[in-house]
Coordinates of all heavy atoms in Angstrom, one line a residue:
M172 N -9.7 4.7 6.0 CA -10.0 5.6 4.9 C -10.2 4.9 3.6 O -9.4 4.1 3.1 CB -8.6 6.4 4.7 CG -8.2 7.4 5.8 SD -8.8 9.0 5.7 CE -10.4 9.0 6.3
P173 N -11.4 5.0 3.2 CA -11.8 4.2 2.1 C -11.0 4.4 0.8 O -10.7 3.5 0.1 CB -13.3 4.6 1.9 CG -13.8 5.1 3.2 CD -12.5 5.7 3.8
R174 N -10.6 5.7 0.6 CA -9.8 6.0 -0.7 C -8.5 5.3 -0.6 O -8.0 4.9 -1.6 CB -9.8 7.5 -0.9 CG -11.1 8.1 -1.3 CD -11.0 9.6 -1.5 NE -10.2 9.8 -2.7 CZ -9.5 10.9 -3.0 NH1 -9.5 11.9 -2.1 NH2 -8.7 11.0 -4.1
L175 N -7.9 5.4 0.6 CA -6.6 4.8 0.8 C -6.7 3.4 0.6 O -5.9 2.7 0.0 CB -5.9 5.2 2.1 CG -4.6 4.6 2.4 CD1 -3.5 5.0 1.4 CD2 -4.2 5.1 3.8
D176 N -7.7 2.8 1.4 CA -7.9 1.3 1.3 C -8.1 0.8 -0.2 O -7.5 -0.1 -0.6 CB -9.0 0.9 2.1 CG -8.9 1.1 3.7 OD1 -7.7 1.3 4.0 OD2 -9.8 0.9 4.4
E177 N -8.9 1.6 -1.0 CA -9.1 1.2 -2.3 C -7.8 1.3 -3.2 O -7.6 0.5 -4.0 CB -10.2 2.2 -3.0 CG -10.6 1.7 -4.4 CD -11.2 0.4 -4.5 OE1 -11.7 -0.2 -3.6 OE2 -11.1 -0.2 -5.7
A178 N -7.1 2.4 -3.0 CA -5.7 2.5 -3.6 C -4.8 1.3 -3.4 O -4.2 0.8 -4.2 CB -5.1 3.9 -3.3
C179 N -4.9 0.9 -2.1 CA -4.0 -0.3 -1.7 C -4.5 -1.6 -2.4 O -3.7 -2.4 -2.9 CB -4.0 -0.4 -0.2 SG -3.1 0.8 0.7
R180 N -5.8 -1.7 -2.5 CA -6.4 -2.9 -3.2 C -6.0 -2.9 -4.6 O -5.6 -4.0 -5.1 CB -7.9 -3.0 -3.0 CG -8.3 -3.3 -1.6 CD -9.9 -3.4 -1.5 NE -10.2 -3.8 -0.2 CZ -10.6 -3.0 0.7 NH1 -10.8 -1.7 0.5 NH2 -11.0 -3.5 2.0
I181 N -6.1 -1.8 -5.3 CA -5.8 -1.7 -6.7 C -4.3 -2.0 -6.9 O -4.0 -2.7 -7.8 CB -6.2 -0.4 -7.2 CG1 -7.6 -0.1 -7.4 CG2 -5.6 -0.1 -8.7 CD1 -8.1 1.3 -7.6
C182 N -3.5 -1.4 -6.0 CA -2.0 -1.7 -6.2 C -1.8 -3.2 -5.9 O -0.9 -3.7 -6.7 CB -1.3 -0.9 -5.1 SG 0.4 -1.1 -5.1
E183 N -2.4 -3.8 -5.0 CA -2.2 -5.2 -4.6 C -2.5 -6.1 -5.9 O -1.8 -7.1 -6.2 CB -3.0 -5.6 -3.5 CG -2.6 -7.0 -2.9 CD -3.5 -8.1 -3.2 OE1 -4.5 -7.9 -3.8 OE2 -3.2 -9.2 -2.7
V184 N -3.6 -5.8 -6.6 CA -3.9 -6.6 -7.8 C -2.8 -6.6 -8.7 O -2.5 -7.5 -9.4 CB -5.3 -6.1 -8.3 CG1 -5.5 -6.6 -9.8 CG2 -6.4 -6.3 -7.5
E185 N -2.2 -5.3 -9.0 CA -1.1 -5.2 -9.9 C 0.2 -5.9 -9.5 O 0.9 -6.4 -10.3 CB -1.0 -3.7 -10.3 CG -2.1 -3.2 -11.0 CD -1.9 -1.8 -11.6 OE1 -0.7 -1.5 -12.0 OE2 -2.8 -1.0 -11.7
V186 N 0.4 -5.8 -8.1 CA 1.5 -6.5 -7.6 C 1.4 -8.0 -7.9 O 2.3 -8.7 -8.3 CB 1.8 -6.2 -6.2 CG1 2.9 -7.1 -5.5 CG2 2.2 -4.7 -5.9
L187 N 0.2 -8.6 -7.6 CA -0.1 -9.9 -7.7 C 0.1 -10.3 -9.2 O 0.8 -11.4 -9.5 CB -1.5 -10.3 -7.3 CG -1.7 -10.7 -5.9 CD1 -3.3 -11.0 -5.7 CD2 -1.0 -12.0 -5.7
A188 N -0.3 -9.5 -10.1 CA -0.1 -9.9 -11.5 C 1.4 -9.8 -11.9 O 1.9 -10.8 -12.6 CB -0.9 -8.8 -12.4
A189 N 2.2 -8.9 -11.3 CA 3.6 -8.9 -11.7 C 4.4 -10.0 -11.1 O 5.4 -10.4 -11.6 CB 4.1 -7.5 -11.0
V190 N 3.8 -10.6 -10.0 CA 4.5 -11.8 -9.4 C 3.9 -13.1 -9.8 O 4.1 -14.2 -9.2 CB 4.7 -11.6 -7.9 CG1 5.5 -10.4 -7.6 CG2 3.4 -11.7 -7.2
G191 N 3.0 -13.1 -10.8 CA 2.4 -14.3 -11.3 C 1.4 -14.9 -10.2 O 1.3 -16.2 -10.2
K192 N 0.7 -14.1 -9.5 CA -0.3 -14.4 -8.5 C 0.4 -15.3 -7.4 O -0.3 -16.1 -6.7 CB -1.4 -15.2 -9.2 CG -2.2 -14.4 -10.2 CD -3.3 -15.2 -10.7 CE -4.1 -14.3 -11.7 NZ -5.2 -15.1 -12.3
D193 N 1.6 -15.2 -7.1 CA 2.3 -15.9 -6.1 C 2.6 -15.0 -4.9 O 3.5 -14.3 -4.8 CB 3.7 -16.3 -6.6 CG 4.5 -17.2 -5.6 OD1 4.0 -17.5 -4.5 OD2 5.7 -17.5 -5.9
R194 N 1.7 -15.2 -3.9 CA 1.8 -14.4 -2.7 C 3.0 -14.7 -1.8 O 3.3 -13.9 -0.9 CB 0.4 -14.6 -1.8 CG -0.7 -13.8 -2.4 CD -1.9 -13.8 -1.5 NE -2.9 -12.8 -1.9 CZ -3.9 -13.1 -2.8 NH1 -4.0 -14.4 -3.2 NH2 -4.8 -12.2 -3.2
A195 N 3.6 -15.8 -2.1 CA 4.9 -16.2 -1.4 C 6.1 -15.5 -2.1 O 7.2 -15.6 -1.5 CB 5.1 -17.7 -1.4
H196 N 6.0 -15.0 -3.2 CA 7.0 -14.4 -4.0 C 7.7 -13.2 -3.1 O 7.0 -12.5 -2.4 CB 6.5 -13.7 -5.2 CG 7.6 -13.3 -6.2 ND1 8.3 -12.2 -6.1 CD2 8.1 -13.9 -7.3 CE1 9.2 -12.0 -7.0 NE2 9.0 -13.1 -7.8
A197 N 8.9 -13.1 -3.1 CA 9.7 -12.1 -2.2 C 9.2 -10.7 -2.5 O 9.1 -10.0 -1.5 CB 11.1 -12.2 -2.5
D198 N 8.9 -10.3 -3.7 CA 8.5 -9.0 -4.0 C 7.1 -8.7 -3.4 O 6.8 -7.7 -2.9 CB 8.4 -8.7 -5.6 CG 9.8 -8.6 -6.2 OD1 10.8 -8.5 -5.4 OD2 9.9 -8.8 -7.3
Y199 N 6.2 -9.7 -3.5 CA 4.9 -9.6 -2.9 C 4.9 -9.4 -1.4 O 4.4 -8.5 -0.7 CB 3.9 -10.7 -3.3 CG 2.5 -10.5 -2.6 CD1 1.6 -9.8 -3.4 CD2 2.2 -10.9 -1.4 CE1 0.3 -9.7 -2.9 CE2 1.0 -10.8 -0.9 CZ 0.0 -10.1 -1.6 OH -1.2 -9.9 -1.1
R200 N 5.8 -10.3 -0.8 CA 5.9 -10.3 0.7 C 6.6 -9.0 1.2 O 6.3 -8.5 2.3 CB 6.8 -11.5 1.1 CG 6.3 -12.9 0.8 CD 5.0 -13.3 1.3 NE 4.6 -12.8 2.6 CZ 3.4 -12.6 3.1 NH1 2.4 -12.8 2.3 NH2 3.2 -12.2 4.4
A201 N 7.5 -8.5 0.3 CA 8.1 -7.2 0.8 C 7.0 -6.0 0.7 O 7.0 -5.2 1.6 CB 9.2 -6.9 -0.2
A202 N 6.1 -6.1 -0.3 CA 5.2 -5.0 -0.4 C 4.0 -5.2 0.6 O 3.5 -4.2 1.2 CB 4.5 -5.0 -1.8
F203 N 3.7 -6.4 0.9 CA 2.5 -6.7 1.8 C 3.0 -7.8 2.8 O 2.7 -9.0 2.7 CB 1.3 -7.3 1.1 CG 0.8 -6.2 0.1 CD1 1.2 -6.3 -1.3 CD2 -0.1 -5.3 0.5 CE1 0.7 -5.4 -2.2 CE2 -0.6 -4.3 -0.4 CZ -0.2 -4.4 -1.8
P204 N 3.8 -7.4 3.7 CA 4.5 -8.4 4.7 C 3.5 -9.3 5.4 O 3.8 -10.4 5.6 CB 5.3 -7.5 5.6 CG 5.2 -6.2 5.1 CD 4.3 -6.1 4.0
K205 N 2.4 -8.7 5.9 CA 1.4 -9.5 6.5 C 0.3 -10.0 5.5 O 0.2 -11.2 5.2 CB 0.7 -8.8 7.7 CG 1.7 -8.6 8.8 CD 1.2 -8.1 10.1 CE 2.1 -8.0 11.1 NZ 1.6 -7.5 12.4
S206 N -0.5 -9.1 5.0 CA -1.4 -9.3 4.0 C -2.1 -7.9 3.6 O -1.9 -6.9 4.4 CB -2.5 -10.3 4.4 OG -3.3 -9.6 5.5
L207 N -2.8 -7.9 2.5 CA -3.5 -6.7 2.2 C -4.6 -6.5 3.2 O -4.8 -5.4 3.6 CB -4.2 -6.9 0.8 CG -5.2 -5.8 0.4 CD1 -4.5 -4.4 0.2 CD2 -6.0 -6.2 -0.9
S208 N -5.3 -7.6 3.6 CA -6.3 -7.4 4.7 C -5.8 -6.8 6.0 O -6.5 -5.9 6.5 CB -6.9 -8.8 5.1 OG -7.5 -9.3 3.9
A209 N -4.5 -7.1 6.4 CA -3.9 -6.5 7.5 C -3.7 -5.0 7.4 O -3.9 -4.2 8.2 CB -2.7 -7.3 8.0
L210 N -3.2 -4.7 6.2 CA -2.9 -3.3 5.8 C -4.1 -2.5 5.9 O -4.2 -1.4 6.4 CB -2.3 -3.2 4.5 CG -1.9 -1.9 3.9 CD1 -1.0 -1.1 4.9 CD2 -1.4 -1.9 2.5
V211 N -5.3 -2.9 5.2 CA -6.4 -2.1 5.1 C -7.3 -2.1 6.5 O -8.1 -1.2 6.7 CB -7.3 -2.3 4.0 CG1 -6.6 -2.1 2.6 CG2 -7.9 -3.8 4.0
A212 N -7.0 -3.1 7.3 CA -7.7 -3.1 8.6 C -7.1 -2.2 9.6 O -7.7 -1.7 10.6 CB -7.7 -4.6 9.2
D213 N -5.9 -1.8 9.3 CA -5.1 -0.9 10.2 C -5.6 0.5 10.0 O -6.3 0.7 9.0 CB -3.7 -0.9 9.9 CG -2.7 -0.6 11.1 OD1 -3.3 -0.2 12.1 OD2 -1.5 -0.9 11.0
R214 N -5.3 1.4 10.9 CA -5.8 2.8 10.8 C -4.8 3.8 11.3 O -3.8 3.3 12.1 CB -7.1 3.1 11.5 CG -8.3 2.3 10.9 CD -8.7 3.1 9.6 NE -9.8 2.5 8.9 CZ -9.5 1.8 7.8 NH1 -8.4 1.6 7.2 NH2 -10.7 1.2 7.2
G215 N -4.9 5.0 11.1 CA -4.1 6.1 11.6 C -2.6 6.0 11.2 O -2.3 5.5 10.1
R216 N -1.8 6.5 12.2 CA -0.4 6.6 11.8 C 0.3 5.2 11.5 O 1.1 5.1 10.6 CB 0.4 7.1 13.1 CG 1.9 7.1 13.0 CD 2.5 8.1 12.0 NE 2.2 9.5 12.5 CZ 2.6 10.6 11.8 NH1 3.2 10.4 10.8 NH2 2.3 11.8 12.3
S217 N -0.2 4.2 12.1 CA 0.3 2.8 11.8 C 0.0 2.4 10.3 O 0.9 1.9 9.7 CB -0.3 1.8 12.7 OG 0.1 0.5 12.4
Q218 N -1.2 2.6 9.9 CA -1.5 2.4 8.5 C -0.7 3.3 7.6 O -0.1 2.8 6.5 CB -3.0 2.5 8.2 CG -3.3 2.0 6.8 CD -4.8 2.2 6.5 OE1 -5.4 3.2 6.9 NE2 -5.3 1.4 5.6
A219 N -0.6 4.5 7.9 CA 0.2 5.4 7.1 C 1.6 5.0 6.9 O 2.2 5.1 5.8 CB 0.0 6.8 7.6
D220 N 2.2 4.6 8.0 CA 3.6 4.1 8.0 C 3.8 2.9 7.1 O 4.7 2.8 6.3 CB 4.2 3.8 9.4 CG 4.4 5.1 10.2 OD1 4.3 6.2 9.7 OD2 4.4 5.0 11.4
K221 N 2.8 2.0 7.3 CA 2.9 0.7 6.4 C 2.7 1.1 4.9 O 3.2 0.5 4.1 CB 1.8 -0.3 6.9 CG 2.2 -0.8 8.2 CD 1.0 -1.7 8.8 CE 1.4 -2.2 10.2 NZ 0.4 -2.8 10.9
V222 N 1.8 2.1 4.6 CA 1.6 2.4 3.2 C 2.9 3.1 2.7 O 3.2 2.9 1.5 CB 0.3 3.4 3.1 CG1 0.3 3.9 1.7 CG2 -0.9 2.5 3.4
K223 N 3.6 3.9 3.5 CA 4.8 4.5 3.0 C 5.8 3.5 2.8 O 6.6 3.5 1.8 CB 5.3 5.5 4.1 CG 4.5 6.8 4.1 CD 4.9 7.6 5.3 CE 4.1 8.9 5.4 NZ 4.4 9.8 6.6
A224 N 5.9 2.4 3.7 CA 6.8 1.3 3.4 C 6.4 0.5 2.1 O 7.3 0.1 1.4 CB 6.8 0.4 4.6
L225 N 5.1 0.4 1.9 CA 4.7 -0.2 0.6 C 5.2 0.6 -0.6 O 5.7 0.0 -1.6 CB 3.2 -0.3 0.6 CG 2.5 -0.7 -0.7 CD1 2.9 -1.9 -1.3 CD2 1.0 -0.6 -0.6
A226 N 5.0 1.9 -0.5 CA 5.5 2.7 -1.6 C 7.0 2.6 -1.9 O 7.4 2.5 -3.0 CB 5.1 4.2 -1.3
A227 N 7.7 2.6 -0.8 CA 9.2 2.4 -0.9 C 9.6 1.0 -1.5 O 10.5 1.0 -2.4 CB 9.8 2.6 0.5
E228 N 8.9 0.0 -1.2 CA 9.2 -1.3 -1.7 C 8.8 -1.3 -3.1 O 9.5 -2.0 -3.9 CB 8.5 -2.4 -0.9 CG 9.1 -2.7 0.5 CD 10.5 -3.1 0.5 OE1 10.9 -3.8 -0.6 OE2 11.2 -2.9 1.4
L229 N 7.7 -0.7 -3.5 CA 7.4 -0.6 -4.9 C 8.4 -0.1 -5.8 O 8.8 -0.6 -6.8 CB 6.1 0.0 -5.1 CG 4.8 -0.6 -4.6 CD1 3.6 0.3 -4.8 CD2 4.6 -2.0 -5.3
H230 N 9.0 1.1 -5.3 CA 10.0 1.8 -6.0 C 11.3 0.9 -6.1 O 12.0 0.9 -7.2 CB 10.4 3.0 -5.4 CG 9.5 4.2 -5.7 ND1 9.3 4.7 -7.0 CD2 8.8 5.1 -4.9 CE1 8.5 5.7 -7.0 NE2 8.2 5.9 -5.8
K231 N 11.6 0.2 -5.1 CA 12.8 -0.6 -5.0 C 12.6 -1.9 -5.8 O 13.6 -2.2 -6.6 CB 13.0 -1.0 -3.5 CG 14.3 -1.9 -3.3 CD 14.4 -2.1 -1.8 CE 15.4 -3.2 -1.4 NZ 15.4 -3.4 0.0
R232 N 11.5 -2.6 -5.7 CA 11.4 -4.0 -6.3 C 10.6 -4.0 -7.5 O 11.0 -4.9 -8.4 CB 10.8 -4.9 -5.3 CG 11.6 -5.1 -4.0 CD 10.8 -5.9 -3.0 NE 11.7 -6.3 -1.9 CZ 12.4 -7.4 -1.8 NH1 12.4 -8.3 -2.7 NH2 13.1 -7.6 -0.8
L233 N 9.6 -3.1 -7.7 CA 8.8 -3.2 -8.9 C 8.7 -1.7 -9.4 O 7.6 -1.1 -9.2 CB 7.4 -3.7 -8.5 CG 7.4 -5.2 -8.0 CD1 6.1 -5.5 -7.3 CD2 7.7 -6.1 -9.1
P234 N 9.7 -1.1 -10.0 CA 9.7 0.3 -10.3 C 8.6 0.8 -11.2 O 8.1 1.9 -11.0 CB 11.1 0.5 -10.9 CG 11.8 -0.8 -11.0 CD 10.9 -1.8 -10.3
D235 N 8.2 0.0 -12.1 CA 7.0 0.4 -12.9 C 5.8 0.7 -12.0 O 5.0 1.6 -12.2 CB 6.7 -0.6 -14.0 CG 7.8 -0.7 -15.0 OD1 8.6 0.3 -15.1 OD2 7.8 -1.7 -15.9
L236 N 5.5 -0.3 -11.1 CA 4.4 -0.1 -10.2 C 4.7 1.0 -9.2 O 3.7 1.7 -8.8 CB 4.1 -1.4 -9.5 CG 3.6 -2.6 -10.4 CD1 3.3 -3.8 -9.6 CD2 2.5 -2.2 -11.2
G237 N 5.9 1.2 -8.8 CA 6.2 2.3 -8.0 C 5.8 3.6 -8.6 O 5.4 4.5 -8.0
E238 N 6.2 3.8 -9.9 CA 6.0 5.0 -10.6 C 4.4 5.2 -10.7 O 3.9 6.3 -10.7 CB 6.6 4.9 -12.1 CG 8.1 5.2 -12.1 CD 8.5 6.5 -11.7 OE1 7.8 7.5 -12.1 OE2 9.4 6.6 -10.8
R239 N 3.7 4.1 -10.8 CA 2.3 4.2 -11.1 C 1.5 4.4 -9.8 O 0.5 5.1 -9.8 CB 1.7 2.9 -11.7 CG 0.3 2.9 -12.2 CD -0.1 1.8 -13.0 NE 0.8 1.4 -14.1 CZ 1.3 0.2 -14.3 NH1 0.9 -0.9 -13.6 NH2 2.1 0.0 -15.3
H240 N 2.0 3.9 -8.7 CA 1.1 3.9 -7.5 C 1.7 4.7 -6.3 O 0.9 5.2 -5.4 CB 0.8 2.5 -7.0 CG 0.0 1.7 -8.0 ND1 -1.4 2.0 -8.1 CD2 0.3 0.7 -8.9 CE1 -1.9 1.1 -9.0 NE2 -0.8 0.4 -9.5
A241 N 3.0 4.8 -6.2 CA 3.6 5.2 -4.9 C 3.2 6.7 -4.5 O 2.8 6.9 -3.4 CB 5.1 5.2 -5.0
A242 N 3.3 7.6 -5.5 CA 2.9 9.0 -5.2 C 1.5 9.1 -4.6 O 1.2 9.8 -3.6 CB 3.1 9.9 -6.4
K243 N 0.5 8.4 -5.2 CA -0.9 8.5 -4.8 C -1.0 7.8 -3.4 O -1.7 8.4 -2.6 CB -1.7 7.8 -5.8 CG -3.2 7.9 -5.4 CD -4.1 7.2 -6.4 CE -5.6 7.4 -6.0 NZ -6.5 6.9 -7.0
L244 N -0.3 6.7 -3.2 CA -0.5 6.1 -1.9 C 0.1 7.0 -0.8 O -0.5 7.2 0.3 CB 0.3 4.7 -1.9 CG -0.3 3.6 -2.8 CD1 0.7 2.5 -2.8 CD2 -1.6 3.1 -2.1
E245 N 1.3 7.6 -1.1 CA 1.9 8.5 -0.1 C 1.0 9.7 0.1 O 0.9 10.1 1.3 CB 3.3 8.9 -0.5 CG 4.3 7.8 -0.5 CD 5.6 8.1 -1.2 OE1 5.6 9.1 -2.0 OE2 6.5 7.3 -1.0
T246 N 0.4 10.3 -0.8 CA -0.5 11.4 -0.7 C -1.7 11.1 0.1 O -2.1 11.9 1.0 CB -0.9 12.0 -2.1 OG1 0.3 12.4 -2.8 CG2 -1.8 13.2 -1.9
L247 N -2.3 9.9 -0.2 CA -3.5 9.6 0.6 C -3.2 9.2 2.1 O -3.9 9.6 2.9 CB -4.2 8.3 -0.1 CG -4.9 8.7 -1.4 CD1 -5.3 7.4 -2.1 CD2 -6.1 9.5 -1.2
A248 N -2.0 8.6 2.2 CA -1.6 8.4 3.7 C -1.3 9.7 4.4 O -1.7 9.8 5.6 CB -0.3 7.5 3.6
A249 N -0.7 10.6 3.8 CA -0.4 11.9 4.4 C -1.8 12.6 4.7 O -2.0 13.2 5.8 CB 0.5 12.7 3.6
A250 N -2.7 12.5 3.8 CA -4.1 13.2 4.0 C -4.8 12.6 5.2 O -5.5 13.3 5.9 CB -4.8 13.1 2.7
M251 N -4.6 11.3 5.2 CA -5.3 10.5 6.4 C -4.8 11.0 7.7 O -5.5 11.3 8.6 CB -5.2 9.1 6.2 CG -5.8 8.3 7.4 SD -5.5 6.5 7.3 CE -3.7 6.6 7.6
I252 N -3.4 11.2 7.8 CA -2.8 11.7 9.0 C -3.3 13.1 9.4 O -3.7 13.4 10.6 CB -1.3 11.6 8.9 CG1 -0.8 10.1 9.0 CG2 -0.7 12.3 10.1 CD1 0.6 10.0 8.5
L253 N -3.4 14.0 8.4 CA -3.8 15.3 8.6 C -5.3 15.3 9.0 O -5.7 16.1 10.0 CB -3.6 16.1 7.4 CG -2.2 16.5 7.0 CD1 -2.1 17.2 5.7 CD2 -1.5 17.3 8.1
Q254 N -6.1 14.5 8.4 CA -7.5 14.5 8.7 C -7.7 13.9 10.1 O -8.5 14.5 11.0 CB -8.3 13.5 7.8 CG -9.8 13.5 8.1 CD -10.5 12.6 7.1 OE1 -10.0 11.9 6.3 NE2 -11.8 12.6 7.2
N255 N -7.0 12.9 10.5 CA -7.1 12.3 11.8 C -6.6 13.3 12.9 O -7.2 13.4 14.0 CB -6.3 10.9 12.0 CG -7.0 9.9 11.3 OD1 -8.1 10.0 10.9 ND2 -6.3 8.8 11.1
A256 N -5.5 14.1 12.5 CA -5.0 15.1 13.5 C -6.1 16.2 13.8 O -6.3 16.7 14.9 CB -3.8 15.8 13.0
G257 N -6.8 16.6 12.8 CA -7.9 17.5 12.8 C -9.1 17.0 13.7 O -9.8 17.9 14.2
L258 N -9.2 15.8 13.8 CA -10.3 15.2 14.5 C -10.1 15.1 16.0 O -10.9 14.9 16.8 CB -10.7 13.8 13.9 CG -11.2 13.8 12.6 CD1 -11.4 12.3 12.1 CD2 -12.6 14.5 12.4
Q259 N -8.8 15.2 16.4 CA -8.5 15.0 17.8 C -8.4 16.4 18.5 O -8.4 17.4 18.0 CB -7.0 14.4 17.9 CG -7.1 13.0 17.3 CD -5.7 12.4 17.4 OE1 -4.8 12.9 17.9 NE2 -5.7 11.2 16.9

């Protein structure tokens, strides 16, 4: 889903800025346990579950970013699941 992927990319840039561009930082690793590339390469329910986990970690670890991004990420993930369900 291009819109979901783009929202994840935008969020990742802000998470990187928040952790001083340190991808080894605990907050970054919690938000993106494998990598942004792995998240956007995934599809379907698996990607949606990972995006929901991302949103939860943002609220927990980086609340300002959680407020800014979590609702949109969750909405786009839910829309992707609904769209995929309609295609089957």
Side-chain angles (χ1 to χ4, degrees):
M172 296 266 81
R174 292 183 65 207
L175 178 59
D176 293 350
E177 184 63 25
C179 290
R180 286 183 178 98
I181 291 167
C182 178
E183 193 257 0
V184 167
E185 292 191 30
V186 170
L187 266 178
V190 299
K192 298 182 182 180
D193 180 6
R194 285 187 169 90
H196 192 285
D198 292 342
Y199 182 89
R200 299 303 319 154
F203 299 95
K205 291 190 178 180
S206 67
L207 171 66
S208 297
L210 177 62
V211 299
D213 210 347
R214 290 288 178 254
R216 171 74 63 182
S217 177
Q218 184 184 33
D220 290 345
K221 289 173 185 168
V222 169
K223 289 177 186 176
L225 165 60
E228 288 299 331
L229 290 176
H230 278 302
K231 179 179 171 184
R232 295 172 172 269
L233 300 163
D235 290 344
L236 296 181
E238 286 296 315
R239 190 173 308 135
H240 295 285
K243 181 176 183 176
L244 290 169
E245 291 169 341
T246 298
L247 290 170
M251 179 186 62
I252 291 170
L253 290 174
Q254 181 180 6
N255 286 347
L258 297 175
Q259 295 178 4

